[in-house]
Amino acid sequence: EVVAEGTVIEEGVEEEVEINGKKIMAMRTKVETESAGSKAIVTAWHSDEIPGQIVRSLTEVQEMVAVTTEMVVIDYNIVK
């Protein structure tokens, strides 16, 4: 799964994450990317156990002013 275009720092690191009290296993991937002179590190956790697969995404931009953006799944339902 492509997290972002750039240099892969780590890939396929298994990690337990918690979503609304339920623990699931996720794979963590970290990519370093550069665009218009700004460096960013994008870390994503994904799991086949949840719809859309992305459990958490963290983007850290390293500019004159550092910016961090985070998206975290807090709950999900599987409809059959």
Side-chain angles (χ1 to χ4, degrees), residues 22-43:
K22 181 180 178 188
K23 294 184 180 189
I24 63 169
M25 293 308 294
M27 298 300 272
R28 184 179 70 226
T29 302
K30 188 180 288 191
V31 175
E32 184 178 65
T33 185
E34 188 170 342
S35 177
S38 295
K39 288 186 179 181
I41 296 179
V42 180
T43 307

Side-chain angles (χ1 to χ4, degrees), residues 11-30:
E11 184 174 34
V13 177
E14 195 171 28
E15 186 173 317
E16 187 176 68
V17 294
E18 188 173 323
I19 300 173
N20 200 19
K22 181 180 178 188
K23 294 184 180 189
I24 63 169
M25 293 308 294
M27 298 300 272
R28 184 179 70 226
T29 302
K30 188 180 288 191

Side-chain angles (χ1 to χ4, degrees), residues 1 45-55 71 73 76-77:
E1 182 161 322
W45 292 257
H46 56 279
S47 172
D48 291 336
E49 292 185 46
I50 67 162
Q53 296 184 336
I54 298 296
V55 177
M71 182 280 304
V73 173
Y76 65 98
N77 291 310

Side-chain angles (χ1 to χ4, degrees), residues 56-68:
R56 178 179 177 206
S57 175
L58 181 66
T59 303
E60 301 168 277
V61 179
Q62 302 162 350
E63 295 181 355
M64 290 178 65
V65 176
V67 177
T68 301

